[in-house]
Each structure stands twice: as structure tokens, then as C-alpha cells.
Amino acid sequence: MTIIGRVSRGYNATVFSLAAISGTIFGCMAFLIGMDVLLRNVSGTGLNWVVESMEYALYGATIFAAPWVLRTGGHVSVDIVTSSLPAGWGRRVEIAAGLLGGVICTIVFYYSLIATWRAFERGSLVYKTFTIPEWWISALVPFCMFFMIIEFSMLLKARKIDS
Amino acid sequence: KEVTLQTVSLFQPGMVLSQQFERFIEKVNAEGKGLVQINFVGGASAVPPFEMGNAVSSGVVDMAYLPSPFYANLLPEAGAMALSERTTQELRENGGWELMNELHNKKMNTWHLARGADGVPSHLYVNKPVDKADLTGFTLRTTQLYRAFFEALHATSIQTTPAEVYTALERGVVDGYGWPIQGVLDLGWQEVTKARVDPGFYNADASILINLDKWKSLSDEQRDFLTKMGIWFESTNADNAAINAAEAKKQADAGMIVYSLEGEEREKWLHIAREAGWAAFEKIAPANAKILREKFAAN
Amino acid sequence: MLWSTALALLIGMLFFFLLLGLPVAVVFFGVNIIGAAIFLNGEIGLIQMTRNVVTSITNYSLVPIPLFILMGEVLLHSGMAFKAIGAIERLITRLPGRMAVVSVAAGTVFSALSGSTIANTAMLGRSLMPEMLRRGYHPTLSMGPIMATGSIAMLIPPSALAVLVGSLAGMSISRLLIAGIIPAILIAALFFLYIVIRATYRPQDAPAGDLPARQSLLERWKPFFVYVLPLSTILIAVVGSLLAGIATPTEAAALGVIASFLIAAAYRCLTWQALKAILTETAQTSTMILFIIMASTTFSQILAFSGATNGMVSLITAVGADPFAVLVMMMLILLILGCFVDQVSMVMITVPLFVPVANAIGIDLIWLGVVYLLTMEIGFLTPPFGLLLFVMKGIAPPEIRMSTVYKAALPFVLIEFLVLVLVLFFPGIGLWLPSLVQ
Ligand code: NA
Ligand code: NA
């Protein structure tokens, strides 16, 4: 197998595993909250960490699944114009949109990386139930955008081969 | 030439805790014509609450009116203001403000113009009787500010969003919560709160912060004007005692009663609040905790 | 820049990017990049925008969104829904347009068990539509009721979209969830009437020869007790606990999910295959909604900093507009938006402007919330862009054209619009039930 083939297989596996983690997180949320409610009503003491963990879970699960959802076409988009254009024009608009999407994600990637770096440099901590470094949390945004950029370029590549 | 400061505040206009700052804006805009004007962009709907510190620090906004817990990620030392036992005027004299401002300059790139909501104590609000400085068996909704104190009194603390407090109180998921004397009625929580526990403890704080680059770009005249306005703003902290009394009366009118701790229990209550507060503060701001306590605590 | 120019610029860009066919979340990122560069001081504004992504989503009150969607997926992929539909079908006999009535009845029942309109439409579409077409129902009478009742899922709790509206607009989420119940029941009743009347006057649209063989009372009712009645546990867990005021929306959602899983397990419907499909679809639909929230939060901030929010509020308070007239205007804007964009975008674009205005002139927020829910529901079915129209087109046999799907939805859209008008004139339809709680 070529190196490119191996890299792309590894990449695909990563995107799928991230999505699987996301689904698992969504699935587990209800049970943790349920446990908290149950314990609070039975023993009077709930699980202190549940509220904040659920907030991070929501964030993490969305970040992890977003690239995969882009691949499967699950992000809602308004395709009323592109689908009504003649085929040739439709494809041109689609390619332009794919390029634009890639550029947008690159910009978000760049600035979220800076935001993360600044939080790291400053040593900012978030003081809630848990005290954690702020950059651990903000790093997930560039992480997600990195995959989004690759997904957009793969979409573009697929379009080009189509035409 | 006139400069306009883009300004946000944690408090939505109309809330009790917002009024002091609204008067400040009015005065600056009236007396600062041709010099400095404030454009109030909005409350928490304009910038997410926990991002306001970053917004003023980086210069997305020029000015923000913000309690210290909302920027603890940038400057944990600011938490000393919530434990302060000295008036803002005393702090201007004993170097406390200077030290606090220096920390704001260095660690947060902001100028600490002035501090409001001074002299507004916090209270514990409960739905079960309290007759001593011990909260064993109480489940309380806490924020980071009150957690150390309530846990030192053996209460169980849980965190919920402000939006869920009402329901949580209504059906007894929590037995109470900590909050300043001002603002309970703004949130509608008096409907599901039976009593307030006296005495109050700590000290609400909200500071007028100005982005440091913006501050440096102002002319001497503009800076002097704003400083003068800031000193005036701190003088209005004296009005808080009357507002506190009015709020206490409104709480009573809404049917809330008072559990008042007296004598030894009262002393114990205040002592534990103080020590637990400073102990927690030392943990998050180890480098400067000692010197800040010297300036901000009474003795 | 004048605030009106700024507003026109921002909305214009938004529509331009949307019409290019970019994913909605990416569209918001794009508009926010330009808006932040102009109104939030350039690069620092862009950094602030990426930080807001985190704050917008680490919000406990949004937790019910994936949970309510999860409930719908459990119902769909475990196959419980199909057994329940079969059971409901046995009970409804001798009615004109019987199968269409079954889909309204089943759809309304499932609305109280699922928070996902897409899952509901898929459930009804996959189980009932092939059967109806086979029995010679007119395509518009087979698809219309399915799409229309599918959309009722967002009015009756659990409802992911009601949580979204309530949380972003700062309304009481519990109250808004409860407020949708009576309008939903009213809509379902009118659907029922329409179907019966149409099938009576145009029997060729709904062939009557579709009665099952005669059955004994026990035969007819047994499946109901086995496959429908136990589902009421889920209904009690969510709708019941909300109505009784004993659970927060998040807790109600968690209880609902647990109840759904337990019942699916009790029916032995919970295979690995089903579980995988449940979690996959939940991740897909939830991420679609939540990712738009992440991307679009800064949009409201940009509107505030451009002066558009304050400008709009002072304009409307200055002309002394009547709150009712303003609400009607908001409704019209939402209806028009609903033709062209998805539900989450409808909320994200308008809430930053509508809610400050409503607060300034004293429009009851829950009333506004019900108007939001009903217009969003209508938006699911209005061309050219209606999500459920596309879902239906995806399920329907290939020979059915998009124009037939539009035609099928039309009468039901009109009925929903009628109820929307009723809610405007009689706000009690929405506000009475929440007023009983608390
Ligand atoms: Na529902
Ligand atoms: Na539509």
C-alpha cells in the first residue's frame, strides 16, 4: 500500500472514530444526568460534577462529529439555487462554495489557534467545579477546524473528478 | 477631540445592580461632551458574560462593567475585592487600589478605573430554618464565590445555571443559595424563597475596566476627566446602604422572613466566611494573596 | 456606518452565502468573520469570535436538545414505533380516509415521545406511506398528513427546537415547552377534520376498500395494550413531569431517554444494530443543530456592536408601534424566512433583534415563543426550502415529483397558518396551559 493510501485510511478511521465517540457521549449523557437526579432525590447528595461535565460533553460531542457530518452531507444547507441551475453552472457554484467553505474554515482555524496559544501562554485557568487550563478547552476548536478543512478539500477533489 | 468608548456591562439595564453604572454613563455623557462619550452597546446579550473580561482585555470593547468572578480566568487576584472589608475610599488611600490596578494592568491589559457595588453584602437565602453557624443537611446552589464558605459550614453545594435555580428551589432540589442583598427580586426568586439569613458577608464588586491600550491612547485631559468620574462613581457607593435597606424591605413585602444569627453564632458565621474565603483565595492566587489580604481585609 | 446599512449588509451577506449552498454553520462563520473584522475591531474580534464558539455551547440549558432527539431515534430504530402504528391502525376503523387519519393519530402520539421532526416524519413515512400508495390513496393524501403531523413533533414536548428557542431567547424553557401542547392538539384535530371531509367528498382520493378483516374486540385492542400503552411511561416521564412542575427540562429529557431505552429493552428491540443506528442518527441531527449554534452566536454580538439592535429597538419604540402590530410583523418576517432557510437559522437570525424589541414594548415572551414555534413548523413545509419536504421526497418512490410533494403539504400549511392566526387573536390558546404551572 502506498504512503498516501495509508495516510488516507488512517485519516478516515480517525474521522469515523471521532464520530463514534460523539455518538457514545450523546448516549451516555442521559444516564449520567439520570444518576445525578436519582442520587439527589434518594441520598440528598447529587453528583457535583455532572452539570459542568455535561456542558463540556455537549461541546466535545459536537466538535468530534462535525467533520464526519460534513462528509455525510448532514449539515443542513440551502441548495435551492444550486439544484435549480443548469448542470454546468451548478457544478461551478458548488466548487466555488467548496472553496469558500475551505477558506472560511482556514480563517477560523488560524484565529482559534491564536486564541488557544494566548490562553496557554497566559496560563489561564477556568475556575468552576473543575479547575482546568483554558487552552485544553479552546484547543478543540482548531482541532475541529483542521478536519473541516480537509473534508472541504476532499469534497472539492471529488467534485473535480466528477466533472 | 471627542472619543467614544464602546461599553458593555454584565447587568441588563433596569436591574438594581445596573443602576449605579447607568448613572455613571449618564454623568459622563452629560459632562464629557466634546471630550469623552460612552456608547453603551448592551448587557450580557452583547458579549457572553464569561467573555467580557477577554473582550475588554483584548480591545473588542473599550470599557466593561464586570464583577471579578467573571474574569477570574484572567485575573484571579481580582477576587480580593469580593472579600474586601475596606471602603473604596480607604483602598485609594492605603494603596489597595493602586496594587489592584497594577495587577489589572500587568495581567489583564486593563485600567481599573473604579469599583462599584461596594457595601453590598451577600446573604444566604434558605427555605429551611437556620439558627446556628452550621449548615449540615443543607443542599445549596453555589457559585465559586460562596462555595468554600458553605462547604466549611458542612453544606452540600451544587451548581446549576441561573435559569434552573427557580425550579430547583420550587421543588426543593436545593434548600437555598447565596446572593447579594440586591437583585433577588430582579430574578423573581423571592417567589420561591422563604427567608434570608442575617448577617450578610463578603462584598459585591463590579469594576469599571478600560482596555489599557485605549487608556494610554487618551489625552491627559481625557484621562483626568475619567479618573474624576471614577472617583465620583466610587463616592456613590455610599448610596448602597440605602438601596440595601430598600431591597430588604421589598424582600419583606414579598413575604420573605429573616433568620438572624446573634452573639456567638453570628461571630462564628462571619469568621468562617472570612477565613474560608481567604483560604480559597490563597489557592487560586498564591503569589499575591498575602499582600492583597493586608490591603483589603480589615486588620 | 448607519445601523440600517450595517443590518442590510449583514443580512445580505448571510443570504448570499446561504444561496451558494454552503452548510448553514459555515455560512454563519463566514458572515461572522466579515462582521467581526468590521464591527469588533478586526483581528481581536476574530479571536473573540473563536472564543465565543466555546461559551455558546458549554451551556447546560442546551443539554435537552440531543436528548430529545435521542428519544425520537430510539422510537424509530428500535422498531417500537412500527408496532405502535400497527396497533393504532387496528383501532381506527370505518372512517373516511382511514389510513390518513391513522397517520395523524400516530403522529400526534409520537410527538409526545420524540423531539425530532425528522425522525417522526421518517417513522410515519416508512411505515404508512408505501401501504397507502399501494391501497390507491392519492399521493397528496398519503404524503401530506405524514409530513404535517411529523412537524407537530416540535410543538409537543419533548421538542429540541422549543429548547433552542427558549434558551437563546431567554424564555422559560419549561413554559415554552408546555405552551405548544394545546396549539398542537388543535392542529391535529383540524387535520383530522380536513381528511375526513376530503375523503367523504372525494372518495377516489382515499379508497374505502381498505378495511382489515373483522376482528374480535380482544384482537383489536390487545396490540394497543401491548405496544402503545407502555409507551405512556415515556409520556409521563417527559410531558407529565414538566406539567406537574417537578422536573427541569434537562431532567425531564434524561428521564425520557432512560424510559425509552428501558421500554425498548423490555420489548427486546434493542439490538446492537439498532443501538448503532440510534447513536449515529442522534450524533448527526444533534451536531447539525449544535454546530450552527456554535457558529452563529457571534452574529448577535455583531448585530449589537453594529448598532442594529439598539437602532431597531429605538426605532420601534419611537414610532410607538402597537405591540400586536409588531408581533404580526415579526410573524410575517418569520414566515418569509421560513420559506428560504432552516429552523435553526430562523432563530439565530431573528432572536437578537426580536427579543430586545419584544422586551422594550412589552410583548409576552412566551406568546412570541409560540409564534416562533408555529412559524418554524410551517417553515418545515413551505417551498422552496422545507426540510420535511426533502425528507419526504427522500422516502417517497422516485416517480413522485417534488411539485406533488409541495401540493401535498399545501392544505396542511394552510391549517397550521389558521392556527397561527388564532394564536395571535387568542393568545390564551398558547398561554393558558403554562399559566397553570407554577
Ligand atoms: Na415532541
Ligand atoms: Na420552508
Side-chain angles (χ1 to χ4, degrees), chain C residues 110-115 152-154 156-159:
Chain C
F110 292 165
S111 291
L113 311 174
S114 152
I152 290 181
M154 64 159 292
I156 296 183
S159 161

mmCIF file of all heavy atoms in Angstrom, chain C residues 110-115 152-154 156-159, ligand 1:
data_model
loop_
_atom_site.group_PDB
_atom_site.id
_atom_site.type_symbol
_atom_site.label_atom_id
_atom_site.label_comp_id
_atom_site.label_asym_id
_atom_site.label_seq_id
_atom_site.Cartn_x
_atom_site.Cartn_y
_atom_site.Cartn_z
ATOM 1 N N PHE C 110 -46.801 10.074 18.744
ATOM 2 C CA PHE C 110 -45.333 10.043 18.733
ATOM 3 C C PHE C 110 -44.734 11.407 19.055
ATOM 4 O O PHE C 110 -43.604 11.487 19.528
ATOM 5 C CB PHE C 110 -44.811 9.578 17.372
ATOM 6 C CG PHE C 110 -45.117 8.151 17.084
ATOM 7 C CD1 PHE C 110 -45.012 7.641 15.800
ATOM 8 C CD2 PHE C 110 -45.520 7.300 18.103
ATOM 9 C CE1 PHE C 110 -45.305 6.318 15.534
ATOM 10 C CE2 PHE C 110 -45.818 5.976 17.849
ATOM 11 C CZ PHE C 110 -45.712 5.490 16.557
ATOM 12 N N SER C 111 -45.497 12.468 18.786
ATOM 13 C CA SER C 111 -44.980 13.799 19.102
ATOM 14 C C SER C 111 -44.670 13.940 20.583
ATOM 15 O O SER C 111 -43.788 14.692 20.972
ATOM 16 C CB SER C 111 -45.990 14.872 18.720
ATOM 17 O OG SER C 111 -46.096 14.938 17.332
ATOM 18 N N ALA C 112 -45.417 13.217 21.398
ATOM 19 C CA ALA C 112 -45.185 13.295 22.834
ATOM 20 C C ALA C 112 -44.071 12.350 23.273
ATOM 21 O O ALA C 112 -43.723 12.299 24.434
ATOM 22 C CB ALA C 112 -46.470 12.974 23.592
ATOM 23 N N LEU C 113 -43.519 11.602 22.326
ATOM 24 C CA LEU C 113 -42.480 10.627 22.671
ATOM 25 C C LEU C 113 -41.153 10.954 22.016
ATOM 26 O O LEU C 113 -40.131 10.365 22.345
ATOM 27 C CB LEU C 113 -42.900 9.218 22.229
ATOM 28 C CG LEU C 113 -44.299 8.764 22.635
ATOM 29 C CD1 LEU C 113 -44.610 7.422 21.994
ATOM 30 C CD2 LEU C 113 -44.422 8.675 24.145
ATOM 31 N N SER C 114 -41.156 11.886 21.086
ATOM 32 C CA SER C 114 -39.962 12.155 20.308
ATOM 33 C C SER C 114 -39.797 13.649 20.111
ATOM 34 O O SER C 114 -40.771 14.367 19.935
ATOM 35 C CB SER C 114 -40.077 11.465 18.948
ATOM 36 O OG SER C 114 -39.327 12.166 17.981
ATOM 37 N N GLY C 115 -38.558 14.104 20.138
ATOM 38 C CA GLY C 115 -38.328 15.528 19.969
ATOM 39 C C GLY C 115 -37.762 15.876 18.618
ATOM 40 O O GLY C 115 -37.231 16.948 18.399
ATOM 41 N N ILE C 152 -45.570 18.246 13.886
ATOM 42 C CA ILE C 152 -46.152 18.516 15.211
ATOM 43 C C ILE C 152 -45.168 18.117 16.314
ATOM 44 O O ILE C 152 -45.216 18.638 17.424
ATOM 45 C CB ILE C 152 -47.504 17.778 15.374
ATOM 46 C CG1 ILE C 152 -48.556 18.430 14.481
ATOM 47 C CG2 ILE C 152 -47.994 17.840 16.811
ATOM 48 C CD1 ILE C 152 -49.913 17.804 14.594
ATOM 49 N N ALA C 153 -44.225 17.249 15.994
ATOM 50 C CA ALA C 153 -43.243 16.811 16.996
ATOM 51 C C ALA C 153 -42.531 17.980 17.654
ATOM 52 O O ALA C 153 -42.087 17.884 18.784
ATOM 53 C CB ALA C 153 -42.221 15.873 16.357
ATOM 54 N N MET C 154 -42.412 19.093 16.938
ATOM 55 C CA MET C 154 -41.695 20.212 17.545
ATOM 56 C C MET C 154 -42.591 21.111 18.401
ATOM 57 O O MET C 154 -42.116 22.032 19.030
ATOM 58 C CB MET C 154 -40.986 21.037 16.483
ATOM 59 C CG MET C 154 -41.906 21.717 15.500
ATOM 60 S SD MET C 154 -41.070 23.112 14.712
ATOM 61 C CE MET C 154 -40.914 24.228 16.093
ATOM 62 N N ILE C 156 -45.095 19.674 20.621
ATOM 63 C CA ILE C 156 -45.406 18.972 21.870
ATOM 64 C C ILE C 156 -44.088 18.549 22.521
ATOM 65 O O ILE C 156 -43.209 18.054 21.832
ATOM 66 C CB ILE C 156 -46.284 17.728 21.566
ATOM 67 C CG1 ILE C 156 -47.625 18.177 20.979
ATOM 68 C CG2 ILE C 156 -46.498 16.895 22.812
ATOM 69 C CD1 ILE C 156 -48.588 17.045 20.704
ATOM 70 N N PRO C 157 -43.921 18.772 23.830
ATOM 71 C CA PRO C 157 -42.690 18.297 24.450
ATOM 72 C C PRO C 157 -42.616 16.778 24.397
ATOM 73 O O PRO C 157 -43.665 16.152 24.523
ATOM 74 C CB PRO C 157 -42.791 18.791 25.897
ATOM 75 C CG PRO C 157 -44.237 19.087 26.122
ATOM 76 C CD PRO C 157 -44.844 19.375 24.779
ATOM 77 N N PRO C 158 -41.476 16.172 24.228
ATOM 78 C CA PRO C 158 -40.142 16.751 24.065
ATOM 79 C C PRO C 158 -39.976 17.452 22.715
ATOM 80 O O PRO C 158 -40.423 16.929 21.698
ATOM 81 C CB PRO C 158 -39.237 15.524 24.109
ATOM 82 C CG PRO C 158 -40.092 14.408 23.614
ATOM 83 C CD PRO C 158 -41.461 14.702 24.144
ATOM 84 N N SER C 159 -39.345 18.610 22.704
ATOM 85 C CA SER C 159 -39.098 19.316 21.457
ATOM 86 C C SER C 159 -37.737 19.981 21.496
ATOM 87 O O SER C 159 -37.500 20.885 22.293
ATOM 88 C CB SER C 159 -40.185 20.368 21.232
ATOM 89 O OG SER C 159 -39.741 21.313 20.296
HETATM 90 NA NA NA D 1 -42.224 16.266 20.533
#
